Amino acid sequence: MQKNLILSLVFVNFAYANDYEFNFDDLEKIQTKQYEYSGYIKLEQKYQILNKSSPKYTTKNKDDMQSYYGEGLLNFKYFKDNIIFNSEIMAYYENIDKEEDHNFSLNQAFVNYNYDVNHQINIGKKTAKWGKGYFFNPVAFIDRRKDPNEPELTKEGFTQINYKYNKVYVKQLQNFALDISYLKTTEDINKDLYPTTSNILALKAYFLYKDIDMDFVYFYSNKDSNQYGFDFSTNLETNFEIHGEFAKNDNNEYSYLLGIKYLTQSELTIISEYFYKNKEQEKDTSFWDNSYFINKFTKKEPFDFLYLNLYYKNSLNLDDKSHQNNLGFIYTGIKNVEIDFSISKLLGDDNSEFGSKLVDRFSWLQIKYNF
Amino acid sequence: MQKRIQKTLFIFLISFFGSLAYAQNQESLLVQIDKKLSPGSSESYKKLINIEPDGSKKEFLLYQARKGNDKMVSAFLQPESEKGRTTLRVGDNMWLYLPEVGRAIRVTSMQSVIGGVFNNSDIMRLDFSTEYEIDSQEEKDDEIILITKAKSENIAYDKLIIRVDKKTITPKTIECYSSTGMLIKTLFYKEIKDFGNSIIRPSVIETNSPLYKGYKSIMVYGKIIPKEFSDEAFTLENLSKVDNLRR
């Protein structure tokens, strides 16, 4: 017994002695290289129970269906003096109720030239990622439309020539940054922005003024309507953030969002966003209606369960009162692996947005391995 | 009568300047601790280890750059799942950049980007003298006990009780309290190490918390090197490229 105790004490001390040191392996990891790569492979499985009162139900005529999805992403960077070559490629395979599809895309491929700390140029295909909203981004004029169910999936950029100016001040205006992009569209390039030949100039002016992030954005097209807007984000308290976006175009179409992020003392994070647009979209696009209210509650490490986050998300269509509910967890306790599992239920009248969907409820599992 | 007024005035001036000098001395002790812990502008490499009650561990390798007393950026180098995640702090403002999101989002100092006992404020700590002022000071054997109060409500911990080693003027333990007086965690500063460039400080910060019973987190400093950075290195525009500061 005593021997075991001594052995375990020696082991504990030895273990902590190692923890307290920065060893050679650690030093090897901090060496910089001429190139870097990273990426992930993720696998998803979805089991869906179908909605018999959906108008689309006749296309399936069965109780349930299975879907599988696999995606791989590789990010590669090469460094040479003041120049960085960035690229991101992605491939996916999907099997939705035995209907297969696959694709390969070059999400980004651009050269970044840092002239000095204030000026830089980017040439090539890149994402802009404008906006402050978590689920919607009305001001993201040169990004692909965000799907609030999977807001991180807008990975593919547009081909552009981009200039950035960045300057720090020591006054109430702490930081100013200017972002100007020129994009040419043809039937082959940037066709998701405009289907034929056009010239686009997009501009974003960022200000960090008195602890408030603010962006003013402008989109000029010689063929399409011009767009303009602004966004902001600030902390009212250390645990309470508010943000918003407003965008309008020459055809009097406008949209806006107001959102909050609040962290309670028990480490429950609440993200709420109200979104309104005055023009409805095609009904086959997700979130096509005028106004939505989305709330997500995430509880960090409940019951001292390290690396586990529980979440509940409710997406409410305020016009027809239908809604989608997701309850799930994310576990990151295994090195470089992320497990995300959720169950979802759609509720609403038969002719409402979520009530008329083909799927009534589903379970979803995603396993992601990062390298 | 005139003598009495002179005497009163003399006592008043003595006590006024005395208390002023005392306050300056107290203030300078926090400044002295700050100077011992980190040079004004520097880069550092840290290892963060979360240890669970069953002994299982998760390690993170972090690069940090700081400038002055209000600017700091961090970038995760390891593990791969965290690589590319960067955090920026400018004064009380804190932003997190996630590569999968592609833009910066505001975060709070009480959140933890890695899980475990350390939160953002522990990992992105700026100078004590920037955030706290001394409420009281007591000398005891080989240590000085400082009770400090947060200068604003935006600081993660409302009160710190710092036990300072008299010899090295570095913290031995720091108890962190919430505004309701609840002990949130205790930080133990250990293993004094010479990092070169006259930087001699504890190389290990260990923490536990009554909120996470049985859990422990350790922060190990591998390198601290004085280095100058441009102000623009600490902006949202640069957040996706923090790793380049190492080159």
Side-chain angles (χ1 to χ4, degrees), chain A residues 53-89:
Chain A
S53 53
S54 166
K56 293 176 189 163
Y57 181 72
T58 48
T59 61
K60 293 290 177 188
N61 262 327
K62 57 181 179 179
D63 293 336
D64 53 21
M65 64 183 201
Q66 292 269 10
S67 301
Y68 303 92
Y69 180 81
E71 183 182 291
L73 182 139
L74 178 70
N75 190 299
F76 178 80
K77 284 181 187 172
Y78 183 81
F79 301 85
K80 179 80 178 162
D81 303 325
N82 287 354
I83 295 171
I84 308 168
F85 171 71
N86 299 266
S87 66
E88 187 177 284
I89 53 172

Side-chain angles (χ1 to χ4, degrees), chain A residues 80-202:
Chain A
K80 179 80 178 162
D81 303 325
N82 287 354
I83 295 171
I84 308 168
F85 171 71
N86 299 266
S87 66
E88 187 177 284
I89 53 172
M90 192 174 90
Y92 77 83
Y93 163 84
E94 67 178 16
N95 180 323
I96 300 173
D97 195 30
K98 294 177 185 155
E99 278 183 40
E100 292 181 276
D101 191 15
H102 59 88
N103 199 7
F104 168 86
S105 64
L106 182 66
N107 288 347
Q108 301 195 77
F110 67 95
V111 174
N112 168 261
Y113 171 64
N114 274 287
Y115 175 72
D116 60 24
V117 294
N118 303 119
H119 305 272
Q120 56 174 302
I121 291 169
N122 297 292
I123 299 172
K125 191 177 184 183
K126 76 183 285 291
T127 52
K129 302 283 184 185
W130 289 2
K132 297 283 185 275
Y134 284 79
F135 309 115
F136 301 96
N137 291 118
V139 301
F141 297 149
I142 53 170
D143 283 304
R144 278 161 219 276
R145 190 170 175 265
K146 194 181 259 188
D147 179 349
N149 285 330
E150 295 173 288
E152 273 89 55
L153 292 185
T154 49
K155 291 193 170 74
E156 192 178 349
F158 288 113
T159 305
Q160 58 191 281
I161 298 169
N162 167 259
Y163 163 76
K164 282 177 194 284
Y165 175 74
N166 187 23
K167 179 81 180 153
V168 167
Y169 301 93
V170 284
K171 296 173 186 165
Q172 288 181 328
L173 173 63
Q174 299 176 58
N175 183 204
F176 169 71
L178 187 65
D179 202 330
I180 303 171
S181 293
Y182 167 72
L183 301 96
K184 175 107 184 156
T185 69
T186 68
E187 286 169 8
D188 301 315
I189 305 166
N190 297 335
K191 60 184 176 189
D192 288 348
L193 274 177
Y194 193 75
T196 59
T197 303
S198 76
N199 292 296
I200 290 167
L201 199 64

Side-chain angles (χ1 to χ4, degrees), chain A residues 175 206 208 213, chain B residues 65 70-75 85-97 104-107 113 120 124 126 231-240 242 245:
Chain A
N175 183 204
Y206 165 77
L208 174 57
D213 294 309
Chain B
D70 70 338
K71 294 185 180 73
M72 181 180 268
V73 280
S74 293
R85 285 187 178 213
T86 53
T87 319
L88 167 67
R89 182 170 182 185
V90 178
D92 294 335
N93 299 294
M94 217 179 264
W95 298 266
L96 170 70
Y97 173 85
I105 50 172
R106 278 184 175 258
V107 289
V113 289
N120 296 343
M124 303 284 287
L126 293 168
D231 288 327
E232 281 72 20
F234 303 88
T235 57
L236 293 192
E237 202 58 62
N238 198 56
L239 209 42
S240 61
V242 171
L245 298 175

Side-chain angles (χ1 to χ4, degrees), chain A residues 120-335:
Chain A
Q120 56 174 302
I121 291 169
N122 297 292
I123 299 172
K125 191 177 184 183
K126 76 183 285 291
T127 52
K129 302 283 184 185
W130 289 2
K132 297 283 185 275
Y134 284 79
F135 309 115
F136 301 96
N137 291 118
V139 301
F141 297 149
I142 53 170
D143 283 304
R144 278 161 219 276
R145 190 170 175 265
K146 194 181 259 188
D147 179 349
N149 285 330
E150 295 173 288
E152 273 89 55
L153 292 185
T154 49
K155 291 193 170 74
E156 192 178 349
F158 288 113
T159 305
Q160 58 191 281
I161 298 169
N162 167 259
Y163 163 76
K164 282 177 194 284
Y165 175 74
N166 187 23
K167 179 81 180 153
V168 167
Y169 301 93
V170 284
K171 296 173 186 165
Q172 288 181 328
L173 173 63
Q174 299 176 58
N175 183 204
F176 169 71
L178 187 65
D179 202 330
I180 303 171
S181 293
Y182 167 72
L183 301 96
K184 175 107 184 156
T185 69
T186 68
E187 286 169 8
D188 301 315
I189 305 166
N190 297 335
K191 60 184 176 189
D192 288 348
L193 274 177
Y194 193 75
T196 59
T197 303
S198 76
N199 292 296
I200 290 167
L201 199 64
L203 186 148
K204 177 166 77 84
Y206 165 77
F207 302 84
L208 174 57
Y209 180 77
K210 283 186 172 180
D211 298 336
I212 304 169
D213 294 309
M214 284 184 283
D215 291 292
F216 293 91
V217 291
Y218 179 64
F219 176 96
Y220 164 81
S221 165
N222 67 338
K223 295 281 176 68
D224 208 354
S225 64
N226 297 334
Q227 302 175 68
Y228 38 91
F230 70 90
D231 69 33
F232 73 92
S233 168
T234 192
N235 279 74
L236 296 179
E237 299 277 333
T238 182
N239 59 338
F240 187 29
E241 181 261 4
I242 58 165
H243 57 268
E245 294 184 28
F246 176 81
K248 192 172 187 289
N249 68 15
D250 286 344
N251 300 329
N252 250 338
E253 292 168 9
Y254 64 90
S255 57
Y256 62 88
L257 83 85
L258 279 171
I260 62 152
K261 186 164 89 166
Y262 182 71
L263 176 73
T264 68
Q265 257 197 345
S266 58
E267 302 211 71
L268 176 74
T269 302
I270 303 163
I271 299 174
S272 296
E273 272 179 10
Y274 169 73
F275 173 66
Y276 178 82
K277 59 176 178 290
N278 70 335
K279 194 193 173 209
E280 292 175 8
Q281 286 174 302
E282 298 291 325
K283 288 200 174 181
D284 58 350
T285 57
S286 58
F287 295 83
W288 54 267
D289 215 344
N290 293 114
S291 57
Y292 293 92
F293 188 42
I294 298 189
N295 290 282
K296 188 174 183 183
F297 303 84
T298 307
K299 174 78 179 107
K300 186 194 159 214
E301 297 170 353
F303 316 111
D304 287 350
F305 199 134
L306 210 56
Y307 313 120
L308 183 84
N309 285 327
L310 280 182
Y311 63 83
Y312 167 68
K313 185 177 164 194
N314 175 268
S315 308
L316 173 67
N317 179 328
L318 288 165
D319 297 317
D320 63 19
K321 306 290 182 286
S322 65
H323 51 115
Q324 180 175 314
N325 301 274
N326 313 85
L327 177 67
F329 69 83
I330 296 176
Y331 180 66
T332 55
I334 304 165
K335 193 179 177 186

Side-chain angles (χ1 to χ4, degrees), chain B residues 167-210:
Chain B
K167 202 173 151 193
T168 60
I169 312 291
T170 57
K172 287 162 81 177
T173 64
I174 300 178
E175 289 172 17
C176 310
Y177 292 87
S178 71
S179 56
T180 56
M182 183 173 68
L183 175 65
I184 300 173
K185 70 182 62 152
T186 307
L187 303 164
F188 301 91
Y189 285 68
K190 298 178 173 180
E191 311 284 318
I192 297 274
K193 183 178 164 182
D194 187 347
F195 289 91
N197 299 298
S198 309
I199 305 165
I200 302 166
R201 56 155 290 162
S203 62
V204 174
I205 303 170
E206 194 174 291
T207 183
N208 57 40
S209 164

